[in-house]
Amino acid sequence: MAFDYKKEYKEFYMPPKKPSIVTVPPINYIAVRGKGNPNDENGEYKNAIGLLYGIAFTLKMSYKGPHKIDGYFAYVVPPLEGFWWQDGTQTIDYAHKENFNFISLIRLPDFVTPSDFNWAVAEATRKKKTDYAKVEFFAYEEGECVQCMHIGSYDDEPATIAAMHRYAEQNGYALDITAARYHHEIYLSDPRKCDVNKLRTVIRHPIKKI
């Protein structure tokens, strides 16, 4: 059976619908940076998603070709994730999505090295005749965070975020969103196929002890 990160690491991908504190270890990702409204049909975000999955599936299917990755095992491609921010503020203004900056992400299995990643970029570029220059190997340690499962529209996230911040404060933490620590979302539902009221999104914010 293929290894499924959502099932094996439930503390990171399947949190309860009430806030909790979690410490996230170092993780390697496929990443694409960009700006703009994620709902724009021809915007940078939609393009970034295509680039991410192009590399993700090149790596997943690598066992069928001549490039053999040491330690490879069958796995389910992890869910799409995103770091989001707007310049000059710790908060997210959902009324002005055109001001978003983002890093779109898909987790890499630990066995994928930078060398394997570079092979996948070259291979995908060759096979798909697509420019993957924006895609990067992104190593990140998120550290201590407050997180919660949000059910429903992305535009309704502020209520969940407010509950997360209250919980963090009640437990002796302060919000620690900075230029290097981000508002983080993990998308467990496909908005093209799921009722908006049933969308499941993990929301995670960095915190620090007061």
Side-chain angles (χ1 to χ4, degrees), residues 60-103:
K60 175 180 169 63
M61 304 307 293
S62 62
Y63 71 94
K64 291 189 172 183
H67 183 88
K68 303 303 180 184
I69 300 177
D70 288 344
Y72 180 96
F73 53 77
Y75 64 97
V76 177
V77 171
L80 178 68
E81 308 186 32
F83 295 145
W84 298 90
W85 71 97
Q86 291 168 319
D87 294 333
T89 178
Q90 283 192 334
T91 60
I92 297 291
D93 182 355
Y94 290 82
H96 291 282
K97 296 177 182 177
E98 71 276 7
N99 296 329
F100 276 143
N101 301 286
F102 65 81
I103 306 174

Short mmCIF file of all heavy atoms in Angstrom, two decimals, residues 60-103:
data_model
loop_
_atom_site.label_atom_id
_atom_site.label_comp_id
_atom_site.label_asym_id
_atom_site.label_seq_id
_atom_site.Cartn_x
_atom_site.Cartn_y
_atom_site.Cartn_z
N LYS A 60 7.23 11.07 -8.49
CA LYS A 60 6.44 9.90 -8.08
C LYS A 60 6.59 8.75 -9.06
O LYS A 60 6.67 7.58 -8.66
CB LYS A 60 4.97 10.30 -7.95
CG LYS A 60 4.03 9.14 -7.64
CD LYS A 60 2.59 9.61 -7.54
CE LYS A 60 1.61 8.45 -7.48
NZ LYS A 60 1.79 7.62 -6.29
N MET A 61 6.64 9.08 -10.35
CA MET A 61 6.69 8.04 -11.38
C MET A 61 8.12 7.71 -11.81
O MET A 61 8.33 6.93 -12.76
CB MET A 61 5.87 8.47 -12.60
CG MET A 61 4.43 8.84 -12.28
SD MET A 61 3.54 7.53 -11.38
CE MET A 61 3.47 6.26 -12.65
N SER A 62 9.11 8.24 -11.12
CA SER A 62 10.51 8.05 -11.52
C SER A 62 10.92 6.58 -11.53
O SER A 62 11.80 6.18 -12.29
CB SER A 62 11.43 8.84 -10.59
OG SER A 62 11.32 8.36 -9.25
N TYR A 63 10.28 5.76 -10.69
CA TYR A 63 10.67 4.35 -10.60
C TYR A 63 10.46 3.59 -11.91
O TYR A 63 11.03 2.52 -12.12
CB TYR A 63 9.88 3.67 -9.47
CG TYR A 63 8.42 3.45 -9.77
CD1 TYR A 63 7.97 2.25 -10.30
CD2 TYR A 63 7.48 4.46 -9.51
CE1 TYR A 63 6.62 2.04 -10.57
CE2 TYR A 63 6.14 4.26 -9.80
CZ TYR A 63 5.71 3.06 -10.31
OH TYR A 63 4.39 2.86 -10.59
N LYS A 64 9.65 4.17 -12.80
CA LYS A 64 9.38 3.50 -14.07
C LYS A 64 10.46 3.74 -15.11
O LYS A 64 10.46 3.09 -16.16
CB LYS A 64 8.03 3.96 -14.64
CG LYS A 64 6.83 3.49 -13.83
CD LYS A 64 5.53 3.79 -14.56
CE LYS A 64 4.35 3.14 -13.84
NZ LYS A 64 3.07 3.37 -14.58
N GLY A 65 11.37 4.69 -14.84
CA GLY A 65 12.39 5.03 -15.81
C GLY A 65 13.78 4.66 -15.34
O GLY A 65 13.97 4.00 -14.31
N PRO A 66 14.79 5.14 -16.06
CA PRO A 66 16.18 4.77 -15.73
C PRO A 66 16.74 5.48 -14.51
O PRO A 66 17.70 5.00 -13.91
CB PRO A 66 16.95 5.17 -16.99
CG PRO A 66 16.12 6.25 -17.61
CD PRO A 66 14.70 5.89 -17.32
N HIS A 67 16.15 6.62 -14.12
CA HIS A 67 16.65 7.34 -12.94
C HIS A 67 16.08 6.70 -11.67
O HIS A 67 14.89 6.81 -11.38
CB HIS A 67 16.26 8.82 -13.00
CG HIS A 67 16.82 9.62 -11.83
ND1 HIS A 67 18.06 10.20 -11.85
CD2 HIS A 67 16.29 9.91 -10.62
CE1 HIS A 67 18.28 10.81 -10.71
NE2 HIS A 67 17.21 10.65 -9.94
N LYS A 68 16.92 6.04 -10.91
CA LYS A 68 16.49 5.36 -9.69
C LYS A 68 16.88 6.20 -8.48
O LYS A 68 18.04 6.57 -8.31
CB LYS A 68 17.13 3.98 -9.59
CG LYS A 68 16.84 3.07 -10.79
CD LYS A 68 15.34 2.88 -11.02
CE LYS A 68 15.08 1.97 -12.21
NZ LYS A 68 13.63 1.85 -12.54
N ILE A 69 15.90 6.51 -7.64
CA ILE A 69 16.13 7.32 -6.44
C ILE A 69 16.39 6.40 -5.27
O ILE A 69 15.57 5.52 -4.96
CB ILE A 69 14.93 8.23 -6.16
CG1 ILE A 69 14.69 9.19 -7.35
CG2 ILE A 69 15.15 9.02 -4.88
CD1 ILE A 69 13.46 10.07 -7.18
N ASP A 70 17.52 6.57 -4.60
CA ASP A 70 17.85 5.75 -3.44
C ASP A 70 16.78 5.88 -2.37
O ASP A 70 16.38 7.00 -2.01
CB ASP A 70 19.21 6.19 -2.86
CG ASP A 70 20.37 5.78 -3.74
OD1 ASP A 70 20.18 4.92 -4.62
OD2 ASP A 70 21.47 6.34 -3.55
N GLY A 71 16.33 4.75 -1.85
CA GLY A 71 15.34 4.76 -0.77
C GLY A 71 13.92 4.97 -1.23
O GLY A 71 13.01 5.08 -0.40
N TYR A 72 13.69 5.00 -2.54
CA TYR A 72 12.34 5.26 -3.06
C TYR A 72 11.34 4.23 -2.53
O TYR A 72 11.62 3.04 -2.46
CB TYR A 72 12.34 5.22 -4.59
CG TYR A 72 10.98 5.49 -5.20
CD1 TYR A 72 10.64 6.76 -5.63
CD2 TYR A 72 10.03 4.47 -5.32
CE1 TYR A 72 9.39 7.01 -6.17
CE2 TYR A 72 8.78 4.71 -5.85
CZ TYR A 72 8.46 5.98 -6.28
OH TYR A 72 7.21 6.23 -6.80
N PHE A 73 10.14 4.71 -2.18
CA PHE A 73 9.02 3.82 -1.87
C PHE A 73 7.74 4.44 -2.45
O PHE A 73 7.67 5.65 -2.71
CB PHE A 73 8.86 3.60 -0.36
CG PHE A 73 8.77 4.86 0.47
CD1 PHE A 73 7.60 5.62 0.52
CD2 PHE A 73 9.87 5.30 1.21
CE1 PHE A 73 7.51 6.78 1.30
CE2 PHE A 73 9.79 6.47 1.97
CZ PHE A 73 8.61 7.19 2.02
N ALA A 74 6.77 3.60 -2.70
CA ALA A 74 5.50 4.07 -3.28
C ALA A 74 4.79 4.99 -2.29
O ALA A 74 4.69 4.69 -1.09
CB ALA A 74 4.61 2.88 -3.61
N TYR A 75 4.29 6.11 -2.80
CA TYR A 75 3.64 7.08 -1.91
C TYR A 75 2.55 7.84 -2.65
O TYR A 75 2.53 7.91 -3.88
CB TYR A 75 4.67 8.07 -1.34
CG TYR A 75 5.34 8.96 -2.39
CD1 TYR A 75 4.88 10.25 -2.63
CD2 TYR A 75 6.43 8.50 -3.13
CE1 TYR A 75 5.49 11.07 -3.57
CE2 TYR A 75 7.04 9.30 -4.08
CZ TYR A 75 6.57 10.59 -4.29
OH TYR A 75 7.18 11.38 -5.24
N VAL A 76 1.64 8.39 -1.87
CA VAL A 76 0.61 9.29 -2.39
C VAL A 76 1.18 10.70 -2.40
O VAL A 76 1.77 11.13 -1.40
CB VAL A 76 -0.66 9.23 -1.50
CG1 VAL A 76 -1.71 10.22 -1.99
CG2 VAL A 76 -1.22 7.81 -1.45
N VAL A 77 1.05 11.42 -3.50
CA VAL A 77 1.53 12.80 -3.54
C VAL A 77 0.82 13.59 -2.44
O VAL A 77 -0.42 13.59 -2.36
CB VAL A 77 1.26 13.44 -4.91
CG1 VAL A 77 1.57 14.95 -4.89
CG2 VAL A 77 2.10 12.77 -6.00
N PRO A 78 1.57 14.24 -1.55
CA PRO A 78 0.96 14.98 -0.44
C PRO A 78 0.09 16.14 -0.93
O PRO A 78 0.20 16.56 -2.09
CB PRO A 78 2.18 15.48 0.36
CG PRO A 78 3.28 14.53 0.00
CD PRO A 78 3.03 14.19 -1.44
N PRO A 79 -0.75 16.66 -0.05
CA PRO A 79 -1.68 17.72 -0.48
C PRO A 79 -0.96 19.04 -0.81
O PRO A 79 0.14 19.30 -0.35
CB PRO A 79 -2.60 17.89 0.73
CG PRO A 79 -1.81 17.40 1.89
CD PRO A 79 -0.96 16.28 1.36
N LEU A 80 -1.64 19.83 -1.60
CA LEU A 80 -1.16 21.18 -1.91
C LEU A 80 -1.19 22.04 -0.65
O LEU A 80 -2.12 21.95 0.16
CB LEU A 80 -2.08 21.79 -2.97
CG LEU A 80 -1.79 23.22 -3.41
CD1 LEU A 80 -0.47 23.30 -4.17
CD2 LEU A 80 -2.94 23.74 -4.28
N GLU A 81 -0.16 22.87 -0.49
CA GLU A 81 -0.07 23.78 0.65
C GLU A 81 0.27 25.18 0.15
O GLU A 81 0.66 25.37 -1.01
CB GLU A 81 1.00 23.32 1.64
CG GLU A 81 0.85 21.86 2.06
CD GLU A 81 1.84 21.44 3.15
OE1 GLU A 81 2.21 22.29 3.99
OE2 GLU A 81 2.24 20.27 3.14
N GLY A 82 0.14 26.16 1.03
CA GLY A 82 0.51 27.51 0.62
C GLY A 82 0.88 28.38 1.82
O GLY A 82 0.23 28.33 2.86
N PHE A 83 1.95 29.16 1.66
CA PHE A 83 2.28 30.25 2.57
C PHE A 83 1.76 31.53 1.93
O PHE A 83 2.00 31.78 0.73
CB PHE A 83 3.79 30.36 2.78
CG PHE A 83 4.43 29.20 3.48
CD1 PHE A 83 5.70 28.79 3.15
CD2 PHE A 83 3.76 28.52 4.49
CE1 PHE A 83 6.31 27.72 3.80
CE2 PHE A 83 4.36 27.45 5.15
CZ PHE A 83 5.63 27.06 4.81
N TRP A 84 1.08 32.35 2.71
CA TRP A 84 0.45 33.57 2.19
C TRP A 84 0.79 34.77 3.06
O TRP A 84 0.84 34.65 4.28
CB TRP A 84 -1.07 33.41 2.15
CG TRP A 84 -1.55 32.31 1.27
CD1 TRP A 84 -1.76 31.01 1.63
CD2 TRP A 84 -1.89 32.41 -0.11
NE1 TRP A 84 -2.21 30.29 0.54
CE2 TRP A 84 -2.29 31.12 -0.54
CE3 TRP A 84 -1.90 33.46 -1.04
CZ2 TRP A 84 -2.70 30.86 -1.84
CZ3 TRP A 84 -2.30 33.20 -2.33
CH2 TRP A 84 -2.70 31.91 -2.73
N TRP A 85 0.99 35.92 2.44
CA TRP A 85 1.19 37.15 3.20
C TRP A 85 0.90 38.36 2.30
O TRP A 85 0.86 38.25 1.08
CB TRP A 85 2.59 37.23 3.79
CG TRP A 85 3.70 37.47 2.80
CD1 TRP A 85 4.29 38.66 2.48
CD2 TRP A 85 4.38 36.48 2.02
NE1 TRP A 85 5.29 38.49 1.55
CE2 TRP A 85 5.37 37.15 1.24
CE3 TRP A 85 4.26 35.09 1.88
CZ2 TRP A 85 6.21 36.47 0.36
CZ3 TRP A 85 5.09 34.42 1.00
CH2 TRP A 85 6.06 35.11 0.26
N GLN A 86 0.68 39.49 2.97
CA GLN A 86 0.52 40.78 2.29
C GLN A 86 1.52 41.75 2.90
O GLN A 86 1.74 41.74 4.12
CB GLN A 86 -0.92 41.28 2.42
CG GLN A 86 -1.90 40.43 1.62
CD GLN A 86 -3.35 40.70 1.96
OE1 GLN A 86 -3.69 40.88 3.13
NE2 GLN A 86 -4.22 40.71 0.96
N ASP A 87 2.12 42.55 2.09
CA ASP A 87 3.21 43.42 2.54
C ASP A 87 2.73 44.40 3.61
O ASP A 87 1.65 44.99 3.51
CB ASP A 87 3.80 44.20 1.36
CG ASP A 87 4.49 43.30 0.35
OD1 ASP A 87 4.97 42.21 0.76
OD2 ASP A 87 4.53 43.66 -0.83
N GLY A 88 3.55 44.53 4.67
CA GLY A 88 3.31 45.55 5.69
C GLY A 88 2.31 45.20 6.75
O GLY A 88 1.93 46.05 7.55
N THR A 89 1.86 43.93 6.82
CA THR A 89 0.87 43.56 7.82
C THR A 89 1.01 42.09 8.21
O THR A 89 1.45 41.27 7.40
CB THR A 89 -0.56 43.82 7.31
OG1 THR A 89 -1.51 43.39 8.30
CG2 THR A 89 -0.83 43.06 6.02
N GLN A 90 0.63 41.78 9.45
CA GLN A 90 0.60 40.39 9.90
C GLN A 90 -0.71 39.72 9.53
O GLN A 90 -0.82 38.50 9.57
CB GLN A 90 0.77 40.32 11.43
CG GLN A 90 2.19 40.53 11.94
CD GLN A 90 2.29 40.14 13.41
OE1 GLN A 90 1.33 40.19 14.16
NE2 GLN A 90 3.48 39.78 13.83
N THR A 91 -1.72 40.51 9.20
CA THR A 91 -3.04 39.97 8.94
C THR A 91 -3.25 39.75 7.45
O THR A 91 -2.45 40.15 6.61
CB THR A 91 -4.13 40.92 9.46
OG1 THR A 91 -4.01 42.19 8.79
CG2 THR A 91 -3.97 41.15 10.96
N ILE A 92 -4.37 39.08 7.13
CA ILE A 92 -4.74 38.82 5.74
C ILE A 92 -6.02 39.60 5.44
O ILE A 92 -7.03 39.44 6.13
CB ILE A 92 -4.99 37.32 5.50
CG1 ILE A 92 -3.70 36.52 5.73
CG2 ILE A 92 -5.54 37.07 4.11
CD1 ILE A 92 -2.62 36.74 4.70
N ASP A 93 -5.98 40.45 4.44
CA ASP A 93 -7.15 41.20 4.01
C ASP A 93 -7.79 40.46 2.84
O ASP A 93 -7.35 40.56 1.70
CB ASP A 93 -6.74 42.62 3.59
CG ASP A 93 -7.93 43.47 3.19
OD1 ASP A 93 -9.06 42.94 3.14
OD2 ASP A 93 -7.73 44.67 2.91
N TYR A 94 -8.87 39.72 3.14
CA TYR A 94 -9.50 38.88 2.12
C TYR A 94 -10.25 39.71 1.08
O TYR A 94 -10.62 39.19 0.03
CB TYR A 94 -10.45 37.88 2.79
CG TYR A 94 -9.71 36.81 3.57
CD1 TYR A 94 -9.26 37.04 4.86
CD2 TYR A 94 -9.46 35.57 3.02
CE1 TYR A 94 -8.58 36.07 5.57
CE2 TYR A 94 -8.78 34.59 3.71
CZ TYR A 94 -8.33 34.85 5.00
OH TYR A 94 -7.64 33.88 5.69
N ALA A 95 -10.45 41.00 1.36
CA ALA A 95 -11.12 41.87 0.40
C ALA A 95 -10.17 42.35 -0.69
O ALA A 95 -10.61 42.93 -1.69
CB ALA A 95 -11.75 43.06 1.11
N HIS A 96 -8.87 42.14 -0.49
CA HIS A 96 -7.87 42.62 -1.45
C HIS A 96 -6.90 41.48 -1.78
O HIS A 96 -5.70 41.56 -1.50
CB HIS A 96 -7.14 43.84 -0.91
CG HIS A 96 -8.01 45.06 -0.83
ND1 HIS A 96 -8.32 45.82 -1.93
CD2 HIS A 96 -8.67 45.61 0.22
CE1 HIS A 96 -9.12 46.81 -1.57
NE2 HIS A 96 -9.36 46.70 -0.28
N LYS A 97 -7.42 40.45 -2.40
CA LYS A 97 -6.61 39.28 -2.73
C LYS A 97 -5.57 39.58 -3.80
O LYS A 97 -4.61 38.83 -3.95
CB LYS A 97 -7.52 38.14 -3.18
CG LYS A 97 -8.45 37.65 -2.07
CD LYS A 97 -9.40 36.57 -2.56
CE LYS A 97 -10.35 36.14 -1.45
NZ LYS A 97 -11.33 35.13 -1.90
N GLU A 98 -5.76 40.68 -4.52
CA GLU A 98 -4.77 41.06 -5.52
C GLU A 98 -3.43 41.42 -4.89
O GLU A 98 -2.40 41.45 -5.57
CB GLU A 98 -5.28 42.23 -6.37
CG GLU A 98 -5.36 43.56 -5.66
CD GLU A 98 -6.64 43.78 -4.84
OE1 GLU A 98 -7.43 42.81 -4.71
OE2 GLU A 98 -6.84 44.90 -4.35
N ASN A 99 -3.43 41.66 -3.57
CA ASN A 99 -2.19 42.03 -2.87
C ASN A 99 -1.47 40.82 -2.26
O ASN A 99 -0.48 40.99 -1.55
CB ASN A 99 -2.50 43.04 -1.76
CG ASN A 99 -3.02 44.35 -2.31
OD1 ASN A 99 -2.65 44.75 -3.42
ND2 ASN A 99 -3.88 45.02 -1.56
N PHE A 100 -1.97 39.62 -2.51
CA PHE A 100 -1.34 38.43 -1.94
C PHE A 100 0.05 38.19 -2.52
O PHE A 100 0.27 38.35 -3.73
CB PHE A 100 -2.18 37.19 -2.22
CG PHE A 100 -3.30 36.94 -1.25
CD1 PHE A 100 -4.52 36.43 -1.70
CD2 PHE A 100 -3.14 37.18 0.10
CE1 PHE A 100 -5.55 36.18 -0.81
CE2 PHE A 100 -4.17 36.94 0.99
CZ PHE A 100 -5.38 36.43 0.54
N ASN A 101 0.96 37.78 -1.65
CA ASN A 101 2.21 37.10 -2.02
C ASN A 101 2.05 35.65 -1.57
O ASN A 101 1.42 35.38 -0.54
CB ASN A 101 3.42 37.71 -1.31
CG ASN A 101 3.59 39.17 -1.61
OD1 ASN A 101 4.01 39.55 -2.69
ND2 ASN A 101 3.27 40.03 -0.64
N PHE A 102 2.63 34.73 -2.31
CA PHE A 102 2.48 33.33 -1.91
C PHE A 102 3.72 32.51 -2.25
O PHE A 102 4.51 32.86 -3.13
CB PHE A 102 1.25 32.70 -2.57
CG PHE A 102 1.32 32.60 -4.07
CD1 PHE A 102 2.01 31.56 -4.70
CD2 PHE A 102 0.69 33.53 -4.89
CE1 PHE A 102 2.08 31.45 -6.08
CE2 PHE A 102 0.76 33.44 -6.28
CZ PHE A 102 1.45 32.40 -6.87
N ILE A 103 3.86 31.43 -1.49
CA ILE A 103 4.75 30.34 -1.86
C ILE A 103 3.88 29.09 -1.88
O ILE A 103 3.40 28.66 -0.83
CB ILE A 103 5.92 30.15 -0.87
CG1 ILE A 103 6.70 31.45 -0.68
CG2 ILE A 103 6.85 29.04 -1.36
CD1 ILE A 103 7.78 31.36 0.40
#
